[in-house]
Amino acid sequence: MEKWMIAARKADFNRIGQTFSVSPVTARIMVNRGLKTDDEFRQYLYGDLNGLHDPRKMKDMDKGLACICQSIKEERLICIASDFDVDGVFAGYILWRGIRQCGGKVYVEAPDRVHEGYGVNERIIRQAHDRGAGCLLTCDNGIAALDAVALAKELGMQVVVTDHHEVIYRTVTDEKGQEKRIYELPKADAVIDPKQEDCGYPFKGLCGAGVAYKLVEMLYDAFHIPKTYLYDLLPFAAIATVADVMDLVDENRILVKYGLRALSKTDHLGMQAIIRHSGLNKSYISAYHIGFVIGPCFNAAGRLDTADMAIRLLQTEDPMEAERLASDLVELNQSRKEMTVTGFERAVCMIEKENLNRDAIMILCLEGCHESLVGIIAGRLKEKYHRPVIVGVETEQGIKASGRSIEAYNMYEGLNECRDLFERFGGHAMAAGMTFKKENLPILRQRLNENCGLTEQDLVPVIHIDVPMPLDYISESFVQELELLEPFGKGNPKPIFAERHFQILRASIIGKNQNVLKMRVRNDSGISMEALYFGDIQAFDRYVEKIYGADEKNRMYAGLPNGVDLAFTYYPSVNEYMGRRSLQITVQNFQRIQR
């Protein structure tokens, strides 16, 4: 079971609540998110587009802008070297649309995930040169493309790199025996990446599309294009930010908040079509819908086909084509879901059979799995086993693998110490991709586990409870107040509340797929409420039966008096059905706590 911990940060919650017209509970949640000053509280609750940082503070922004402006004015073709995931596709679209708005000639090219792998490559560069492109502009990649950028320069092209990934480095030991990092940058005309050590931009957490948005902001300013045209690009920066699992803090929070608002009113053909075919209500699109519905549809193109389908959906001005492409993407994503479930189940069998979960860092190679799915499978295994996971598949180029990590382990730094084993490698603290020879797999497994420094405590999932709160406190006005804290996501998780003792008055399994546990629960104060659980119902049943016995579990499902008494973590909401509104909670975690 998880370890439950109550956040214990101290502050004058009553004063904060009175100052900003929120409850002390909401004030406490904000403090738990690391906010300390009144300016931080104000920006968190009411920050707007005026609070975005000045893009001119980004290193090489002026140089990159000069290159793009020169190409536009001299009518030179610009090749945007994108990537195949949501962030790359949307970053490419933002740049494509921005440059076209300024009168430039431009096209987008993304690598083939299966045959070429991540990032700008020789094929893209030589094709761009053959088409007469005078400028190569990368987005969501390029910071590690030393050889590709060198080739483009050899061919006489201007090169502007925009990226958000970590700068690659090698570790050397100086004459005093101290380790020192030597950073290696591509020899481009401009390298725009806030992760550079000497970049003065105050926020390092932008995604690739966020960096692209900043460049277009400067471009529109240079060509005297009104801000309203820039704000039309907000939905695309927002979608990429959520889909790339960036922290929803600082200006990411503003980009997503205002991007979601703009998305609800968008007249963009491609976005309208994908929203419609996904069965969503355009008037209410949340960060959840981006991360789990819309984002995966765009990602499916680059995973199972090529990113070209997603790029065309964003670029098309033909309503019929938009409908066809959106339908194809949704169907492709459904296939991806089914393939992912199969791959995940096979991975779990392999882990249990070979006892791989004894390792602090699990590394496995799946047979017959589509290589584009290994990252998703690694992420699900990480959630199940709560440890860093690397999943690979054997290809003609060797083992192509993707890793997902936990907060306690910086995967990029760990893998960087083993980079001599890789043909290709890149990523950041929580995720990475790599290609290596099959014979290096056991060596990689041994070296990573010997040097990871992870303890048993690091591998126990911790549930951070914001506020222990009885059902008595929940009201419609409080649920509405919690909406001030949105958008929720990485870096700004949905608040977690908890109460120690719930009697389950009755329970039933509902839903088309029989995957929702609906309960009527009552706390020690006698307040009763509907509770929904969307997790593993079989695991819930096993736990109840283990603690209380099969008879008590059966009585619970029959709605008879029973002894089942559980603690829940939860989030409150308002359920509206046939004109009736009622309060309910969504249960996230459960365990028994002795009285």
Side-chain angles (χ1 to χ4, degrees):
M1 296 296 288
E2 313 99 345
K3 181 179 181 181
W4 291 13
M5 295 186 66
I6 299 172
R9 300 194 185 204
K10 304 295 183 183
D12 188 341
F13 303 125
N14 289 322
R15 184 201 70 79
I16 296 168
Q18 290 171 1
T19 302
F20 297 101
S21 302
V22 296
S23 66
V25 170
T26 297
R28 181 170 175 174
I29 293 166
M30 291 194 295
V31 171
N32 290 345
R33 299 295 173 271
L35 308 180
K36 297 177 181 177
T37 69
D38 280 6
D39 283 345
E40 290 174 338
F41 296 132
R42 189 174 294 106
Q43 180 74 355
Y44 180 84
L45 290 171
Y46 310 115
D48 58 23
L49 294 169
N50 294 321
L52 296 177
H53 302 302
D54 186 348
R56 286 170 291 197
K57 294 180 179 179
M58 210 172 285
K59 182 188 175 187
D60 276 7
M61 180 63 80
D62 54 342
K63 295 179 183 177
L65 178 65
C67 289
I68 303 302
C69 288
Q70 181 184 359
S71 291
I72 293 173
K73 290 172 182 176
E74 294 179 0
E75 299 185 351
R76 289 192 294 166
L77 180 63
I78 299 170
C79 170
I80 297 173
S82 176
D83 191 26
F84 41 65
D85 68 357
V86 175
D87 191 19
V89 167
F90 279 71
Y93 176 70
I94 288 170
L95 292 171
W96 177 84
R97 184 163 158 179
I99 291 168
R100 279 168 55 93
Q101 184 70 48
C102 297
K105 296 192 297 182
V106 61
Y107 74 98
V108 181
E109 190 70 37
D112 184 297
R113 182 171 199 145
V114 173
H115 299 107
E116 297 176 318
Y118 166 81
V120 61
N121 56 49
E122 182 177 349
R123 191 263 308 169
I124 292 174
I125 291 167
R126 291 199 182 278
Q127 283 186 0
H129 182 257
D130 291 344
R131 290 180 62 169
C135 180
L136 178 73
L137 172 59
T138 76
C139 57
D140 190 35
N141 78 97
I143 196 68
L146 308 187
D147 294 339
V149 170
L151 173 62
K153 293 302 297 177
E154 285 175 20
L155 295 174
M157 301 173 73
Q158 282 190 317
V159 181
V160 177
V161 169
T162 74
D163 203 347
H164 74 115
H165 291 97
E166 301 286 350
V167 180
I168 62 173
Y169 64 87
R170 53 190 170 85
T171 304
V172 299
T173 304
D174 62 21
E175 60 276 4
K176 296 180 180 179
Q178 295 180 326
E179 289 190 345
K180 181 181 178 183
R181 291 181 178 180
I182 305 296
Y183 291 95
E184 301 176 12
L185 291 170
K187 304 296 184 185
D189 296 273
V191 178
I192 303 171
D193 183 338
K195 294 278 178 62
Q196 294 177 87
E197 195 176 32
D198 55 348
C199 178
Y201 197 71
F203 181 58
K204 307 296 184 182
L206 289 172
C207 67
V211 176
Y213 181 89
K214 292 293 178 177
L215 177 55
V216 172
E217 181 178 355
M218 294 293 293
L219 195 58
Y220 281 6
D221 187 58
F223 281 84
H224 308 293
I225 293 174
K227 281 276 190 183
T228 52
Y229 289 89
L230 177 67
Y231 295 156
D232 286 342
L233 300 176
L234 280 169
F236 310 102
I239 290 169
T241 299
V242 174
D244 216 42
V245 201
M246 308 308 295
D247 285 341
L248 298 188
V249 299
D250 204 284
E251 65 180 349
N252 277 349
R253 178 173 167 79
I254 298 172
L255 287 171
V256 173
K257 180 190 288 187
Y258 283 86
L260 290 174
R261 289 182 187 176
L263 185 60
S264 69
K265 304 171 186 174
T266 186
D267 58 1
H268 185 275
L269 288 177
M271 292 312 306
Q272 285 185 330
I274 201 75
I275 289 169
R276 188 162 47 250
H277 281 274
S278 297
L280 299 178
N281 181 353
K282 178 186 168 186
S283 300
Y284 182 69
I285 303 291
S286 69
Y288 172 85
H289 298 120
I290 299 301
F292 292 95
V293 183
I294 294 175
C297 287
F298 279 96
N299 254 335
R303 291 187 187 281
L304 302 184
D305 198 291
T306 68
D308 181 62
M309 189 189 301
I311 293 169
R312 282 188 288 129
L313 177 60
L314 293 177
Q315 293 181 349
T316 187
E317 297 178 1
D318 179 348
M320 295 294 290
E321 184 182 33
E323 291 297 316
R324 178 178 58 80
L325 289 168
S327 176
D328 288 348
L329 280 179
V330 170
E331 188 175 328
L332 202 60
N333 187 49
Q334 185 58 39
S335 298
R336 189 273 310 164
K337 288 180 183 178
E338 294 166 2
M339 293 167 66
T340 302
V341 169
T342 300
F344 174 75
E345 290 174 348
R346 287 173 54 207
V348 170
C349 288
M350 183 177 177
I351 289 167
E352 302 296 337
K353 182 179 179 181
E354 300 181 16
N355 293 318
L356 296 178
N357 53 338
R358 292 178 179 176
D359 290 337
I361 300 176
M362 297 194 304
I363 306 177
L364 58 152
C365 183
L366 288 176
E367 290 185 7
C369 177
H370 197 287
E371 67 181 66
S372 67
L373 303 179
V374 293
I376 303 174
I377 294 170
R380 294 190 180 180
L381 293 172
K382 179 206 76 171
E383 294 298 323
K384 180 177 177 63
Y385 294 99
H386 196 71
R387 63 196 62 217
V389 180
I390 295 172
V391 178
V393 60
E394 197 168 351
T395 71
E396 292 179 359
Q397 295 81 33
I399 292 178
K400 286 188 177 180
S402 189
R404 298 294 182 268
S405 194
I406 58 176
E407 294 291 342
Y409 181 69
N410 187 315
M411 180 165 278
Y412 180 83
E413 291 189 357
L415 291 172
N416 194 63
E417 295 301 316
C418 302
R419 65 181 308 162
D420 57 296
L421 301 176
F422 303 131
E423 308 300 308
R424 301 185 73 180
F425 156 66
H428 49 81
M430 299 297 289
M434 67 222 78
T435 303
F436 54 90
K437 294 177 181 177
K438 185 177 181 179
E439 56 265 31
N440 284 339
L441 191 149
I443 304 171
L444 178 63
R445 178 183 287 132
Q446 180 180 350
R447 282 170 58 175
L448 285 178
N449 278 284
E450 284 179 350
N451 300 315
C452 67
L454 290 168
T455 66
E456 286 295 325
Q457 284 298 107
D458 292 328
L459 303 181
V460 175
V462 177
I463 307 301
H464 295 281
I465 296 167
D466 283 291
V467 185
M469 189 175 77
L471 296 185
D472 316 41
Y473 195 88
I474 302 173
S475 65
E476 283 201 37
S477 60
F478 176 69
V479 171
Q480 186 175 11
E481 180 177 293
L482 290 176
E483 292 177 4
L484 288 171
L485 308 181
E486 295 182 5
F488 298 129
K490 185 171 180 287
N492 185 47
K494 183 177 283 190
I496 295 178
F497 304 99
E499 191 166 6
R500 295 169 64 91
H501 297 287
F502 285 102
Q503 182 184 357
I504 302 178
L505 304 178
R506 63 175 180 268
S508 60
I509 299 173
I510 62 171
K512 183 175 71 174
N513 299 318
Q514 293 288 285
N515 59 348
V516 180
L517 178 62
K518 182 179 181 181
M519 298 172 280
R520 186 75 187 180
V521 300
R522 183 172 61 203
N523 68 1
D524 283 350
S525 300
I527 303 295
S528 66
M529 197 171 290
E530 295 293 330
L532 300 177
Y533 178 62
F534 294 91
D536 187 336
I537 298 175
Q538 290 183 337
F540 180 90
D541 286 349
R542 286 194 299 269
Y543 185 79
V544 170
E545 192 165 326
K546 177 182 176 182
I547 301 297
Y548 294 102
D551 287 346
E552 293 301 301
K553 184 197 75 173
N554 293 337
R555 292 178 67 83
M556 176 188 78
Y557 275 109
L560 298 172
N562 63 82
V564 179
D565 180 343
L566 294 175
F568 288 151
T569 67
Y570 69 86
Y571 187 83
S573 60
V574 176
N575 178 46
E576 188 165 357
Y577 180 68
M578 297 182 65
R580 294 183 59 199
R581 295 168 63 85
S582 59
L583 295 170
Q584 65 180 21
I585 61 172
T586 299
V587 174
Q588 286 146 333
N589 312 93
F590 57 87
Q591 64 173 268
R592 180 179 69 162
I593 295 179
Q594 295 284 1
R595 288 185 177 273

